[in-house]
Amino acid sequence: MEVMTMYLVCDGGGTKTEYMLFDLSGHIHGFSKTQGTNAIFINPDAAADAVCGGISDCLQQAGIRDTDLNEICLFIPGFKNSANAVRDRFPKTRLMVLGDEYNAYYGALGEPGGIAVLSGTGSFAVCRDKKGSWISVGGWGPLFGDKGSGYHMGLMCLDRITQQWDRGSTNTLLQTLALKQLHMESIPSLRQGAYKPDFTREKIAKLSYTVAEAAKAGDIDALGILDEASVCLADLAAAVARRVGNDELPVSLLGGTSHMGDIFTKRFEAALKEKLPQCSYREPMFEPIVGAALFVMYEIVGRMDSREDFLKNIQAEWGTTYVNG
């Protein structure tokens, strides 16, 4: 009996990690989700355990062994020091470890050509130039980078609500929503609560959705945060365009903050038009995990016998089973 060619891809970040097992026709045979696995911010052993668990879960769903896999491709920033533990668990399968900019790119654009800007817990922009080289900017992490990310918006939210308090403004909408999100009783409690170990990067990043909620209700400070973040992300796209010497490329925005809807994406589009008037904004085609599968097809397999059928199958199965289902 002919053995089906199978690949397993993984999209990991600071908050969550997704796994997909698929074949060359674009049919999905397994899907799993675990905690964040960026080993810069969590224990490397815990990151490796989570990845091994996610892979095993997909294999179990498909009823196959790891020896039936052609390749495991992990798109996880900061994971290289954890990779050996995964290799030990799946020794007969080739393992590739890359950053999440590559699958984000293919998820946004579907094929080579254009600039992808990702704004999740962190942020970066990436492009593939005419020579096939990858150009990436941003992604410097929370200490001195990640501008325009969910984490950056969360920090700006904390700054705004404490500044409001210092000016004598209390019980503002942004304050009320932020305290509810953080499960805190008052703004002064942030003096201690914000410096406890459980006040994590992920917890701060989730405040970005509080900002979006307040902005939709017309909160001036929240709207200002979204304005500033959108400009920061447009700056990332402009930096990439300068590096590749082309300001006429399509630009897509993806990641958690892009799910805020028009309240944010329209601001990004406007900021992009100001920074790069010759660029066009394009709605992202797929989630990063689907982009991981496309990366495998373009960059590893090196061919698609039927690109249209592959995209049709993987988009239909992902959308009905894992997005809407």
Side-chain angles (χ1 to χ4, degrees), residues 267-282:
R267 281 175 161 74
F268 172 73
E269 188 174 357
L272 184 67
K273 192 70 176 175
E274 184 175 341
K275 299 283 182 179
L276 293 170
Q278 292 174 284
C279 275
S280 58
Y281 176 72
R282 179 187 294 176

mmCIF file with all atom_site columns, all heavy atoms in Angstrom, residues 267-282:
data_model
loop_
_atom_site.group_PDB
_atom_site.id
_atom_site.type_symbol
_atom_site.label_atom_id
_atom_site.label_alt_id
_atom_site.label_comp_id
_atom_site.label_asym_id
_atom_site.label_entity_id
_atom_site.label_seq_id
_atom_site.pdbx_PDB_ins_code
_atom_site.Cartn_x
_atom_site.Cartn_y
_atom_site.Cartn_z
_atom_site.occupancy
_atom_site.B_iso_or_equiv
_atom_site.pdbx_formal_charge
_atom_site.auth_seq_id
_atom_site.auth_comp_id
_atom_site.auth_asym_id
_atom_site.auth_atom_id
_atom_site.pdbx_PDB_model_num
ATOM 1   N N   . ARG A 1 267 ? -7.109 52.018 10.618 1.00 0.00 ? 267 ARG A N   1
ATOM 2   C CA  . ARG A 1 267 ? -6.066 52.939 11.071 1.00 0.00 ? 267 ARG A CA  1
ATOM 3   C C   . ARG A 1 267 ? -4.706 52.543 10.497 1.00 0.00 ? 267 ARG A C   1
ATOM 4   O O   . ARG A 1 267 ? -3.914 53.396 10.085 1.00 0.00 ? 267 ARG A O   1
ATOM 5   C CB  . ARG A 1 267 ? -6.020 52.977 12.605 1.00 0.00 ? 267 ARG A CB  1
ATOM 6   C CG  . ARG A 1 267 ? -7.105 53.828 13.216 1.00 0.00 ? 267 ARG A CG  1
ATOM 7   C CD  . ARG A 1 267 ? -7.129 53.752 14.739 1.00 0.00 ? 267 ARG A CD  1
ATOM 8   N NE  . ARG A 1 267 ? -7.856 54.885 15.280 1.00 0.00 ? 267 ARG A NE  1
ATOM 9   C CZ  . ARG A 1 267 ? -9.172 55.023 15.250 1.00 0.00 ? 267 ARG A CZ  1
ATOM 10  N NH1 . ARG A 1 267 ? -9.903 54.058 14.706 1.00 0.00 ? 267 ARG A NH1 1
ATOM 11  N NH2 . ARG A 1 267 ? -9.759 56.098 15.739 1.00 0.00 ? 267 ARG A NH2 1
ATOM 12  N N   . PHE A 1 268 ? -4.440 51.240 10.495 1.00 0.00 ? 268 PHE A N   1
ATOM 13  C CA  . PHE A 1 268 ? -3.187 50.777 9.903  1.00 0.00 ? 268 PHE A CA  1
ATOM 14  C C   . PHE A 1 268 ? -3.138 51.111 8.414  1.00 0.00 ? 268 PHE A C   1
ATOM 15  O O   . PHE A 1 268 ? -2.112 51.582 7.902  1.00 0.00 ? 268 PHE A O   1
ATOM 16  C CB  . PHE A 1 268 ? -3.037 49.268 10.104 1.00 0.00 ? 268 PHE A CB  1
ATOM 17  C CG  . PHE A 1 268 ? -1.865 48.689 9.357  1.00 0.00 ? 268 PHE A CG  1
ATOM 18  C CD1 . PHE A 1 268 ? -0.569 48.925 9.788  1.00 0.00 ? 268 PHE A CD1 1
ATOM 19  C CD2 . PHE A 1 268 ? -2.058 47.925 8.209  1.00 0.00 ? 268 PHE A CD2 1
ATOM 20  C CE1 . PHE A 1 268 ? 0.521  48.407 9.090  1.00 0.00 ? 268 PHE A CE1 1
ATOM 21  C CE2 . PHE A 1 268 ? -0.987 47.405 7.512  1.00 0.00 ? 268 PHE A CE2 1
ATOM 22  C CZ  . PHE A 1 268 ? 0.310  47.639 7.957  1.00 0.00 ? 268 PHE A CZ  1
ATOM 23  N N   . GLU A 1 269 ? -4.239 50.884 7.726  1.00 0.00 ? 269 GLU A N   1
ATOM 24  C CA  . GLU A 1 269 ? -4.283 51.179 6.295  1.00 0.00 ? 269 GLU A CA  1
ATOM 25  C C   . GLU A 1 269 ? -4.035 52.658 6.030  1.00 0.00 ? 269 GLU A C   1
ATOM 26  O O   . GLU A 1 269 ? -3.306 53.027 5.088  1.00 0.00 ? 269 GLU A O   1
ATOM 27  C CB  . GLU A 1 269 ? -5.633 50.745 5.731  1.00 0.00 ? 269 GLU A CB  1
ATOM 28  C CG  . GLU A 1 269 ? -5.739 50.826 4.222  1.00 0.00 ? 269 GLU A CG  1
ATOM 29  C CD  . GLU A 1 269 ? -7.032 50.263 3.686  1.00 0.00 ? 269 GLU A CD  1
ATOM 30  O OE1 . GLU A 1 269 ? -7.850 49.748 4.481  1.00 0.00 ? 269 GLU A OE1 1
ATOM 31  O OE2 . GLU A 1 269 ? -7.237 50.334 2.457  1.00 0.00 ? 269 GLU A OE2 1
ATOM 32  N N   . ALA A 1 270 ? -4.604 53.528 6.856  1.00 0.00 ? 270 ALA A N   1
ATOM 33  C CA  . ALA A 1 270 ? -4.408 54.976 6.688  1.00 0.00 ? 270 ALA A CA  1
ATOM 34  C C   . ALA A 1 270 ? -2.959 55.362 6.965  1.00 0.00 ? 270 ALA A C   1
ATOM 35  O O   . ALA A 1 270 ? -2.366 56.168 6.237  1.00 0.00 ? 270 ALA A O   1
ATOM 36  C CB  . ALA A 1 270 ? -5.346 55.735 7.620  1.00 0.00 ? 270 ALA A CB  1
ATOM 37  N N   . ALA A 1 271 ? -2.377 54.780 8.030  1.00 0.00 ? 271 ALA A N   1
ATOM 38  C CA  . ALA A 1 271 ? -0.978 55.077 8.357  1.00 0.00 ? 271 ALA A CA  1
ATOM 39  C C   . ALA A 1 271 ? -0.055 54.573 7.258  1.00 0.00 ? 271 ALA A C   1
ATOM 40  O O   . ALA A 1 271 ? 0.941  55.226 6.900  1.00 0.00 ? 271 ALA A O   1
ATOM 41  C CB  . ALA A 1 271 ? -0.614 54.444 9.699  1.00 0.00 ? 271 ALA A CB  1
ATOM 42  N N   . LEU A 1 272 ? -0.378 53.414 6.691  1.00 0.00 ? 272 LEU A N   1
ATOM 43  C CA  . LEU A 1 272 ? 0.420  52.854 5.603  1.00 0.00 ? 272 LEU A CA  1
ATOM 44  C C   . LEU A 1 272 ? 0.362  53.754 4.371  1.00 0.00 ? 272 LEU A C   1
ATOM 45  O O   . LEU A 1 272 ? 1.383  53.987 3.708  1.00 0.00 ? 272 LEU A O   1
ATOM 46  C CB  . LEU A 1 272 ? -0.117 51.462 5.264  1.00 0.00 ? 272 LEU A CB  1
ATOM 47  C CG  . LEU A 1 272 ? 0.648  50.674 4.212  1.00 0.00 ? 272 LEU A CG  1
ATOM 48  C CD1 . LEU A 1 272 ? 2.029  50.298 4.726  1.00 0.00 ? 272 LEU A CD1 1
ATOM 49  C CD2 . LEU A 1 272 ? -0.131 49.424 3.814  1.00 0.00 ? 272 LEU A CD2 1
ATOM 50  N N   . LYS A 1 273 ? -0.817 54.277 4.087  1.00 0.00 ? 273 LYS A N   1
ATOM 51  C CA  . LYS A 1 273 ? -0.978 55.163 2.929  1.00 0.00 ? 273 LYS A CA  1
ATOM 52  C C   . LYS A 1 273 ? -0.133 56.418 3.076  1.00 0.00 ? 273 LYS A C   1
ATOM 53  O O   . LYS A 1 273 ? 0.418  56.931 2.095  1.00 0.00 ? 273 LYS A O   1
ATOM 54  C CB  . LYS A 1 273 ? -2.464 55.536 2.775  1.00 0.00 ? 273 LYS A CB  1
ATOM 55  C CG  . LYS A 1 273 ? -2.806 56.214 1.463  1.00 0.00 ? 273 LYS A CG  1
ATOM 56  C CD  . LYS A 1 273 ? -2.701 55.238 0.312  1.00 0.00 ? 273 LYS A CD  1
ATOM 57  C CE  . LYS A 1 273 ? -3.129 55.874 -0.998 1.00 0.00 ? 273 LYS A CE  1
ATOM 58  N NZ  . LYS A 1 273 ? -2.929 54.967 -2.147 1.00 0.00 ? 273 LYS A NZ  1
ATOM 59  N N   . GLU A 1 274 ? -0.016 56.887 4.312  1.00 0.00 ? 274 GLU A N   1
ATOM 60  C CA  . GLU A 1 274 ? 0.797  58.084 4.551  1.00 0.00 ? 274 GLU A CA  1
ATOM 61  C C   . GLU A 1 274 ? 2.282  57.773 4.439  1.00 0.00 ? 274 GLU A C   1
ATOM 62  O O   . GLU A 1 274 ? 3.050  58.576 3.885  1.00 0.00 ? 274 GLU A O   1
ATOM 63  C CB  . GLU A 1 274 ? 0.485  58.649 5.937  1.00 0.00 ? 274 GLU A CB  1
ATOM 64  C CG  . GLU A 1 274 ? 1.217  59.942 6.239  1.00 0.00 ? 274 GLU A CG  1
ATOM 65  C CD  . GLU A 1 274 ? 0.791  60.550 7.562  1.00 0.00 ? 274 GLU A CD  1
ATOM 66  O OE1 . GLU A 1 274 ? -0.294 60.204 8.069  1.00 0.00 ? 274 GLU A OE1 1
ATOM 67  O OE2 . GLU A 1 274 ? 1.561  61.390 8.086  1.00 0.00 ? 274 GLU A OE2 1
ATOM 68  N N   . LYS A 1 275 ? 2.705  56.623 4.953  1.00 0.00 ? 275 LYS A N   1
ATOM 69  C CA  . LYS A 1 275 ? 4.129  56.271 4.942  1.00 0.00 ? 275 LYS A CA  1
ATOM 70  C C   . LYS A 1 275 ? 4.570  55.760 3.570  1.00 0.00 ? 275 LYS A C   1
ATOM 71  O O   . LYS A 1 275 ? 5.682  56.038 3.119  1.00 0.00 ? 275 LYS A O   1
ATOM 72  C CB  . LYS A 1 275 ? 4.398  55.185 5.983  1.00 0.00 ? 275 LYS A CB  1
ATOM 73  C CG  . LYS A 1 275 ? 4.072  55.574 7.421  1.00 0.00 ? 275 LYS A CG  1
ATOM 74  C CD  . LYS A 1 275 ? 5.128  56.459 8.012  1.00 0.00 ? 275 LYS A CD  1
ATOM 75  C CE  . LYS A 1 275 ? 4.800  56.786 9.469  1.00 0.00 ? 275 LYS A CE  1
ATOM 76  N NZ  . LYS A 1 275 ? 5.829  57.641 10.094 1.00 0.00 ? 275 LYS A NZ  1
ATOM 77  N N   . LEU A 1 276 ? 3.705  54.956 2.933  1.00 0.00 ? 276 LEU A N   1
ATOM 78  C CA  . LEU A 1 276 ? 4.029  54.323 1.660  1.00 0.00 ? 276 LEU A CA  1
ATOM 79  C C   . LEU A 1 276 ? 2.852  54.509 0.690  1.00 0.00 ? 276 LEU A C   1
ATOM 80  O O   . LEU A 1 276 ? 2.080  53.580 0.459  1.00 0.00 ? 276 LEU A O   1
ATOM 81  C CB  . LEU A 1 276 ? 4.307  52.830 1.858  1.00 0.00 ? 276 LEU A CB  1
ATOM 82  C CG  . LEU A 1 276 ? 5.552  52.444 2.649  1.00 0.00 ? 276 LEU A CG  1
ATOM 83  C CD1 . LEU A 1 276 ? 5.538  50.956 2.948  1.00 0.00 ? 276 LEU A CD1 1
ATOM 84  C CD2 . LEU A 1 276 ? 6.818  52.823 1.886  1.00 0.00 ? 276 LEU A CD2 1
ATOM 85  N N   . PRO A 1 277 ? 2.701  55.697 0.137  1.00 0.00 ? 277 PRO A N   1
ATOM 86  C CA  . PRO A 1 277 ? 1.520  55.979 -0.689 1.00 0.00 ? 277 PRO A CA  1
ATOM 87  C C   . PRO A 1 277 ? 1.381  55.090 -1.913 1.00 0.00 ? 277 PRO A C   1
ATOM 88  O O   . PRO A 1 277 ? 0.280  54.920 -2.435 1.00 0.00 ? 277 PRO A O   1
ATOM 89  C CB  . PRO A 1 277 ? 1.709  57.447 -1.093 1.00 0.00 ? 277 PRO A CB  1
ATOM 90  C CG  . PRO A 1 277 ? 3.143  57.748 -0.836 1.00 0.00 ? 277 PRO A CG  1
ATOM 91  C CD  . PRO A 1 277 ? 3.581  56.874 0.278  1.00 0.00 ? 277 PRO A CD  1
ATOM 92  N N   . GLN A 1 278 ? 2.488  54.480 -2.371 1.00 0.00 ? 278 GLN A N   1
ATOM 93  C CA  . GLN A 1 278 ? 2.419  53.632 -3.555 1.00 0.00 ? 278 GLN A CA  1
ATOM 94  C C   . GLN A 1 278 ? 2.124  52.172 -3.221 1.00 0.00 ? 278 GLN A C   1
ATOM 95  O O   . GLN A 1 278 ? 1.887  51.367 -4.117 1.00 0.00 ? 278 GLN A O   1
ATOM 96  C CB  . GLN A 1 278 ? 3.715  53.749 -4.360 1.00 0.00 ? 278 GLN A CB  1
ATOM 97  C CG  . GLN A 1 278 ? 3.900  55.128 -5.000 1.00 0.00 ? 278 GLN A CG  1
ATOM 98  C CD  . GLN A 1 278 ? 5.244  55.269 -5.667 1.00 0.00 ? 278 GLN A CD  1
ATOM 99  O OE1 . GLN A 1 278 ? 6.259  55.445 -5.003 1.00 0.00 ? 278 GLN A OE1 1
ATOM 100 N NE2 . GLN A 1 278 ? 5.254  55.178 -6.984 1.00 0.00 ? 278 GLN A NE2 1
ATOM 101 N N   . CYS A 1 279 ? 2.169  51.845 -1.953 1.00 0.00 ? 279 CYS A N   1
ATOM 102 C CA  . CYS A 1 279 ? 1.838  50.482 -1.539 1.00 0.00 ? 279 CYS A CA  1
ATOM 103 C C   . CYS A 1 279 ? 0.327  50.313 -1.450 1.00 0.00 ? 279 CYS A C   1
ATOM 104 O O   . CYS A 1 279 ? -0.409 51.272 -1.217 1.00 0.00 ? 279 CYS A O   1
ATOM 105 C CB  . CYS A 1 279 ? 2.458  50.162 -0.178 1.00 0.00 ? 279 CYS A CB  1
ATOM 106 S SG  . CYS A 1 279 ? 4.171  49.590 -0.270 1.00 0.00 ? 279 CYS A SG  1
ATOM 107 N N   . SER A 1 280 ? -0.117 49.088 -1.592 1.00 0.00 ? 280 SER A N   1
ATOM 108 C CA  . SER A 1 280 ? -1.538 48.780 -1.465 1.00 0.00 ? 280 SER A CA  1
ATOM 109 C C   . SER A 1 280 ? -1.753 47.857 -0.275 1.00 0.00 ? 280 SER A C   1
ATOM 110 O O   . SER A 1 280 ? -0.961 46.947 -0.035 1.00 0.00 ? 280 SER A O   1
ATOM 111 C CB  . SER A 1 280 ? -2.059 48.120 -2.733 1.00 0.00 ? 280 SER A CB  1
ATOM 112 O OG  . SER A 1 280 ? -1.327 46.931 -3.011 1.00 0.00 ? 280 SER A OG  1
ATOM 113 N N   . TYR A 1 281 ? -2.817 48.106 0.479  1.00 0.00 ? 281 TYR A N   1
ATOM 114 C CA  . TYR A 1 281 ? -3.146 47.232 1.602  1.00 0.00 ? 281 TYR A CA  1
ATOM 115 C C   . TYR A 1 281 ? -3.941 46.043 1.090  1.00 0.00 ? 281 TYR A C   1
ATOM 116 O O   . TYR A 1 281 ? -4.856 46.188 0.286  1.00 0.00 ? 281 TYR A O   1
ATOM 117 C CB  . TYR A 1 281 ? -3.963 47.983 2.658  1.00 0.00 ? 281 TYR A CB  1
ATOM 118 C CG  . TYR A 1 281 ? -4.416 47.091 3.784  1.00 0.00 ? 281 TYR A CG  1
ATOM 119 C CD1 . TYR A 1 281 ? -3.506 46.629 4.718  1.00 0.00 ? 281 TYR A CD1 1
ATOM 120 C CD2 . TYR A 1 281 ? -5.751 46.699 3.898  1.00 0.00 ? 281 TYR A CD2 1
ATOM 121 C CE1 . TYR A 1 281 ? -3.908 45.787 5.750  1.00 0.00 ? 281 TYR A CE1 1
ATOM 122 C CE2 . TYR A 1 281 ? -6.155 45.858 4.929  1.00 0.00 ? 281 TYR A CE2 1
ATOM 123 C CZ  . TYR A 1 281 ? -5.230 45.410 5.855  1.00 0.00 ? 281 TYR A CZ  1
ATOM 124 O OH  . TYR A 1 281 ? -5.638 44.576 6.861  1.00 0.00 ? 281 TYR A OH  1
ATOM 125 N N   . ARG A 1 282 ? -3.570 44.855 1.553  1.00 0.00 ? 282 ARG A N   1
ATOM 126 C CA  . ARG A 1 282 ? -4.258 43.632 1.143  1.00 0.00 ? 282 ARG A CA  1
ATOM 127 C C   . ARG A 1 282 ? -4.678 42.846 2.384  1.00 0.00 ? 282 ARG A C   1
ATOM 128 O O   . ARG A 1 282 ? -3.862 42.619 3.285  1.00 0.00 ? 282 ARG A O   1
ATOM 129 C CB  . ARG A 1 282 ? -3.344 42.770 0.272  1.00 0.00 ? 282 ARG A CB  1
ATOM 130 C CG  . ARG A 1 282 ? -3.981 41.454 -0.192 1.00 0.00 ? 282 ARG A CG  1
ATOM 131 C CD  . ARG A 1 282 ? -2.973 40.579 -0.909 1.00 0.00 ? 282 ARG A CD  1
ATOM 132 N NE  . ARG A 1 282 ? -2.528 41.174 -2.165 1.00 0.00 ? 282 ARG A NE  1
ATOM 133 C CZ  . ARG A 1 282 ? -1.584 40.636 -2.936 1.00 0.00 ? 282 ARG A CZ  1
ATOM 134 N NH1 . ARG A 1 282 ? -0.985 39.514 -2.556 1.00 0.00 ? 282 ARG A NH1 1
ATOM 135 N NH2 . ARG A 1 282 ? -1.239 41.221 -4.057 1.00 0.00 ? 282 ARG A NH2 1
#
